[in-house]
Amino acid sequence: MEINVELKAIREVASELLVVGLFEGAAQMEGATGVVDKALGGAISELIKASDMTGKAEQTALLYTRGAMPAKRVLVVGLGEQGKLTPDGVRRAAATAAKAVRKLRLTRYHSLIYGIGTGGLGPTEAAQAIAEGTILGSYSFTRHKSDLTDVLPALEALTLVQADASAVTAVKQGASTGKIIADAVCFVRDLVNQPANYLTPTMLAETAEEVAGELGLHVEVLEEAQMADLGMGALLGVAQGSEEPAKFIVLEYNAERTDLAPYIIVGKGLTFDSGGISIKPSEGMEAMKGDMAGAGTTLGVLQAVATLHLPLRVVGLIPATENLPSGRAYKPGDVLKSMSGLTIEVISTDAEGRLILADALDYAKRYQPKAVVDLATLTGACVVALGYVTTGLMSNNTELAQAIVKASAKSGEKVWELPLYDEYGEQIKSDVADVKNTGGRPAGTITAGLFLSKFARGFPWAHFDIAGTSSSDADKGYVVKGATGWGVRLLVQWLRDAAEGSAS
Ligand code: BES
Ligand code: MN
Ligand code: ZN
């Protein structure tokens, strides 16, 4: 959808619908909302007096202006308490408004830019948050529905109204950044929601090639023969049970800037994880079409970073395969030789993500990267530990972990760091090989992280376990049921911070 910005006095906005924000329990209405209240002869004050609306987050009220203003309807959206508003609160309010507008079956509307001056929000940040909340909250995945009668029409355009000329540039800047980031998140959601018969490793590679073509990125897709030449025995071990050929996707933004050490994003690209010979229970197995969420986010970050023209070199690495049982599949007890030379005893063929990432992390070494981060739907144990709210973070570098935590706070995508203490290493010692691929039930997220750390050698590295956060089972604010596109906002923020740091 479009996000436009218009310099106009509020009373002059002609629109099907105008959104205004309302704080909870404020003695006085915020400037712009107050202007609308006055124009409507105190209709918003009346709502509050009648206790029909308090301004609590997620509340809305619809008013008809009946000629008192050129806008036909006013939608009042709750912002919660004034002192407590955060960028995330603005995102949620924008999502609430967007959903209400969709329910009215309207497709074009206007909004005031609420939140400026609270919670550290300038006009840029507020406009960015509104753009993000609007696009993310109105997302829906309808690609495989043939009957669209019950599907609400998609939004076409939101116009942000700014009455103060001096803030227009800042608002435009924020709106544009927010749109670029949110579009990238929705692109990821589409990929992750896509069933595995519509997104094989080959189709994922084709998607990467399309993105590269549109944005002028460098792309290379390695075939199995090339992986064999490189010695990627761990990735090929996982892939050998599937009829679909594995792909190793390399995507580079600013590839020609070989003077810069790149930032590398590695994404787990299991287009379907049945567990292999260590097969999963059939109940809920369909969710494993989303086991390529890390790969999706990798593509989304590259798309956003290129569209934002960040002055960095960024590489995306995606090992992509299916994990299926067959007469040719790898088996528990097999020993695989990884590209790094380390040998791995396979205890469970369902602990396949760490195997394909092992080879990708070793491949990253050749770039002498500034930093490497990986995203993976890696362990059910992470869902047990942190639920669906928080991503598990693990790192071999304090400075990198701190930069990520900072970007997490700014973006609203939550992480919590887990320790990679040496003692946990006992659990993944093998009797027959250098390491084994599972460490039992205790601290399953950490032993997976520790396994990866053996292959992430010689560069600052951080690992995101997104098993719990990559999809949602309910609509909540700007998160909609299904794929979330987790990580795009955090990583783009991290890279923007890095670009700023290297420029100054
Ligand atoms: N893709 C799964 C992890 C997963 C679980 C993602 C739930 C999203 C939701 C991963 O490949 C896996 O199967 N992990 C095993 C590891 C175990 C065998 C050590 C797990 O968590 O059970
Ligand atoms: Mn698995
Ligand atoms: Zn998996």
Side-chain angles (χ1 to χ4, degrees), residues 100 117 142 158 168 190 192 195 216 222 248 258 293-294 323 337 390 392 433 442 459 461 480 487:
T142 55
L158 165 64
V168 165
D190 278 346
V192 178
L222 306 185
F248 190 89
T258 46
N323 183 23
K337 182 149 187 171
T390 309
F459 44 75
W461 158 79
V480 301

Side-chain angles (χ1 to χ4, degrees), residues 115-436:
I116 298 178
T118 50
L121 287 152
T124 311
E125 292 78 21
Q128 183 185 331
I130 293 176
E132 289 179 359
T134 303
I135 295 172
L136 297 178
S138 57
Y139 172 86
S140 61
F141 184 71
T142 55
R143 231 173 254 201
H144 302 285
K145 296 242 182 230
S146 44
D147 181 2
L148 293 172
T149 38
D150 288 336
V151 176
L152 297 169
L155 296 178
E156 282 166 20
L158 165 64
T159 303
L160 298 176
V161 182
Q162 176 61 46
D164 172 5
S166 69
V168 165
T169 311
V171 166
K172 280 189 176 159
Q173 176 82 46
S176 149
T177 306
K179 177 181 159 55
I180 289 168
I181 292 173
D183 282 349
V185 175
C186 292
F187 163 73
V188 178
R189 287 177 177 180
D190 278 346
L191 283 174
V192 178
N193 283 328
Q194 195 67 285
N197 61 328
Y198 282 86
L199 192 74
T200 60
T202 301
M203 297 185 226
L204 187 61
E206 285 164 3
T207 306
E209 281 163 348
E210 276 165 33
V211 172
E214 279 161 28
L215 294 166
L217 306 178
H218 182 269
V219 63
E220 197 183 349
V221 177
L222 306 185
E223 305 296 332
E224 287 185 354
Q226 291 164 286
M227 296 175 217
D229 288 343
L230 288 164
M232 293 185 161
L235 169 54
L236 288 171
V238 175
Q240 78 192 34
S242 168
E243 300 284 331
E244 290 290 339
K247 304 281 165 174
F248 190 89
I249 305 163
V250 181
L251 205 54
E252 296 189 46
Y253 164 65
N254 275 338
E256 64 293 345
R257 290 291 305 274
T258 46
D259 56 310
L260 299 174
Y263 291 84
I264 301 189
I265 324 281
V266 179
K268 172 176 171 180
L270 253 297
T271 58
F272 188 72
D273 177 16
S274 72
I277 297 296
S278 314
I279 198 161
K280 290 178 180 296
S282 53
E283 193 178 323
M285 202 199 268
E286 68 281 359
M288 287 300 121
K289 70 175 181 177
D291 209 20
M292 39 54 68
T297 296
T298 301
L299 293 181
V301 171
L302 265 287
Q303 176 183 303
V305 158
T307 312
L308 290 166
H309 304 293
L310 292 193
L312 301 171
R313 185 173 160 214
V314 184
V315 176
L317 299 178
I318 298 172
T321 179
E322 296 182 331
N323 183 23
L324 293 176
S326 83
R328 286 203 327 211
Y330 78 138
K331 302 168 289 295
D334 284 1
V335 172
L336 304 176
K337 182 149 187 171
S338 71
M339 185 170 151
S340 73
L342 284 182
T343 57
I344 306 164
E345 182 188 7
V346 177
I347 301 298
S348 169
T349 63
D350 199 11
E352 82 299 334
R354 67 197 74 184
L355 296 174
I356 71 168
L357 290 170
D359 283 338
L361 289 169
D362 190 71
Y363 187 89
K365 255 197 318 224
R366 67 181 55 209
Y367 290 94
Q368 295 172 288
K370 188 113 180 153
V372 178
V373 302
D374 75 69
L375 297 119
T377 45
L378 207 61
T379 66
C382 195
V383 188
V384 174
L386 299 171
Y388 303 101
V389 176
T390 309
T391 289
L393 170 67
M394 285 142 270
S395 177
N396 65 5
N397 184 287
T398 318
E399 219 181 298
L400 173 60
Q402 276 168 359
I404 287 168
V405 167
K406 209 176 113 196
S408 163
K410 282 198 210 171
S411 67
E413 292 194 311
K414 296 180 170 65
V415 297
W416 193 260
E417 192 174 357
L418 301 174
L420 293 178
Y421 298 136
D422 284 342
E423 286 87 336
Y424 293 109
E426 290 300 321
Q427 289 173 237
I428 51 171
K429 281 195 173 149
S430 165
D431 293 334
V432 300
D434 297 329
V435 63
K436 59 183 184 182

